[in-house]
Amino acid sequence: MENETENHTLSLPSARCLSKQQAAQYLGIGVTLLTQIGPLPIKLGRRCLYDVVDLDAWLDDYKSRGRARKEVLWPVKKDSIDVKTRPTGGLIQSSQMDAEYAKALGVES
């Protein structure tokens, strides 16, 4: 009887923190994609680990954004679009003739 109880050992619980490779495998994506768009890892000493709870929360949030993802890939600075830009660009001195042409064409100068 004693030999039977010795052979039955308790199994370890599944790991809550995963390495980068394990986290990518858990999500079913590559390591590069995980690094680019995934959640930030936590640091324990010199190790960077991913918490399964964080991975699940990140994936739920990512799914709720939809396929079109409402993120702005190229943010527009308000300052750069509010200033009137000359159509010719550069540092060109305007003359009286420029103003007359603009007036004739109905374009603001």
Side-chain angles (χ1 to χ4, degrees):
M1 272 294 233
E2 288 180 26
N3 285 341
E4 290 179 19
T5 57
E6 289 177 12
N7 290 337
H8 297 294
T9 58
L10 295 175
S11 62
L12 293 174
S14 59
R16 180 173 169 180
C17 291
L18 306 174
S19 68
K20 186 187 300 185
Q21 290 78 15
Q22 292 170 329
Q25 185 178 11
Y26 177 77
L27 293 173
I29 60 175
V31 174
T32 304
L33 187 60
L34 173 68
T35 305
Q36 290 174 349
I37 67 168
L40 295 174
I42 56 172
K43 287 194 76 121
L44 293 175
R46 295 187 326 187
R47 295 188 65 189
C48 290
L49 301 172
Y50 291 84
D51 189 347
V52 174
V53 175
D54 292 342
L55 293 172
D56 290 337
W58 174 82
L59 186 59
D60 289 340
D61 179 55
Y62 191 82
K63 287 189 322 186
S64 69
R65 289 186 231 163
R67 278 186 80 152
R69 291 183 24 200
K70 299 168 184 85
E71 296 177 2
V72 177
L73 297 178
W74 297 101
V76 177
K77 292 182 179 179
K78 292 270 187 193
D79 296 340
S80 67
I81 60 172
D82 288 343
V83 179
K84 185 175 179 184
T85 307
R86 291 176 176 240
T88 57
L91 297 173
I92 298 174
Q93 297 290 331
S94 61
S95 66
Q96 187 67 23
M97 188 65 86
D98 289 342
E100 290 178 23
Y101 279 130
K103 183 178 176 185
L105 296 173
V107 179
E108 288 183 25
S109 58

